Amino acid sequence: EIVMTQSPATLSVSPGERATLSCRASQSVNTNLAWYLQRPGQAPRLLIYGASTGATAIPARFSGSGSGTDFTLTISSLQSEDFAVYYCHQYNNWPLTFGGGTRVEIK
Amino acid sequence: EVQLVESGGGLVQPGGSLRLSCAASGFTFSNYEMNWVRQAPGKGLEWVSYINSGGDDKHYADSVKGRFTISRDNAKNSLFLQMNSLRADDTALYYCVRDGRQYEGAYRRFDHWGQGTLVTVSS
């Protein structure tokens, strides 16, 4: 099973600042990686797939990069609605696996 | 509008069974691969199971293999999860999730999620 490790567990950021979230895979997943955002009490929402392709209607401030084992989600200027939990997800190998999540909180 | 509505959750004793259902609408259900993903209270996401569009290719997380069975009825636009030998650590919100890729070889993307149905395993 591929283990996905996200860091940091919690990120404190001020509104308008840039946030950088990391995700590392225990073995290569090529670019078969997605990012999701989950707000309290809501279902997860797809942000990025294929490591760097933005999902439909996702604001341009969200961007993804990386390949192989190291991936990054960048939020260029945090808005109030971006304070949430973010998950990475690999779908290169069965079983599919998620990272443990990064909580982005208001500083 | 794509809609996924789960049902069938509830309180069950350890060792018991439940059958979850997901009613899909707003898209051609038979064209899409589907998944179940769960989330224990206050915890992260855990992928549970996958089924291809035709229903003849299935995969499971190790934690549920041999106990859970995924199936679908394309004529009724429905996805199911039969859960047997339930344990306390199966307690979670279970999401029905569409894989939005349009063809094999495209990147997977879990692009639509239901609101979930809560399963509680407790005596």
Side-chain angles (χ1 to χ4, degrees):
Chain A
E1 171 177 314
I2 296 178
V3 177
M4 307 301 291
T5 302
Q6 291 186 241
S7 61
T10 303
L11 185 62
S12 297
V13 185
S14 299
E17 288 190 340
R18 181 187 191 91
T20 302
L21 288 65
S22 296
C23 175
R24 175 165 289 178
S26 59
Q27 65 188 77
S28 176
V29 299
N30 299 298
T31 51
N32 292 310
L33 183 113
W35 290 93
Y36 300 87
L37 168 160
Q38 187 177 34
R39 300 186 178 103
Q42 295 185 16
R45 178 186 178 189
L46 175 67
L47 294 174
I48 301 287
Y49 64 94
S52 60
T53 301
T56 303
I58 296 302
R61 63 181 181 274
F62 292 94
S63 63
S65 64
S67 66
T69 61
D70 291 297
F71 301 88
T72 300
L73 176 71
T74 302
I75 312 169
S76 59
S77 177
L78 273 155
Q79 307 299 303
S80 58
E81 62 268 28
D82 301 337
F83 292 96
V85 181
Y86 293 80
Y87 295 95
C88 62
H89 168 221
Q90 72 80 19
Y91 45 87
N92 194 68
N93 287 42
W94 303 104
L96 308 187
T97 48
F98 287 89
T102 290
R103 180 179 304 276
V104 177
E105 63 177 28
I106 300 175
K107 186 175 183 179
Chain B
E1 179 194 3
V2 172
Q3 284 200 314
L4 299 168
V5 180
E6 303 93 337
S7 60
L11 175 64
V12 61
Q13 292 189 338
S17 298
L18 275 179
R19 179 177 166 90
L20 305 184
S21 299
C22 171
S25 61
F27 65 104
T28 304
F29 180 71
S30 59
N31 287 351
Y32 289 85
E33 300 157 283
M34 298 294 295
N35 295 265
W36 288 97
V37 174
R38 69 184 180 183
Q39 186 168 36
K43 303 297 185 182
L45 302 173
E46 180 186 16
W47 171 80
V48 173
S49 186
Y50 156 92
I51 189 167
N52 71 343
S53 57
D56 59 353
D57 186 29
K58 305 173 185 180
H59 294 271
Y60 299 93
D62 290 344
S63 58
V64 307
K65 200 172 293 184
R67 300 186 300 122
F68 290 12
T69 302
I70 192 171
S71 62
R72 65 191 295 162
D73 184 337
N74 286 341
K76 296 183 177 179
N77 295 333
S78 295
L79 177 71
F80 304 101
L81 186 68
Q82 177 67 42
M83 305 187 296
N84 299 330
S85 304
L86 283 160
R87 311 185 303 221
D89 62 359
D90 295 317
T91 294
L93 188 62
Y94 284 73
Y95 292 105
C96 171
V97 185
R98 188 184 86 163
D99 184 338
R101 70 176 184 172
Q102 299 280 316
Y103 57 91
E104 190 171 341
Y107 285 122
R108 295 190 184 281
R109 67 213 69 172
F110 286 8
D111 63 349
H112 287 279
W113 299 60
Q115 286 304 304
T117 187
L118 182 63
V119 173
T120 304
V121 184
S122 175
S123 54

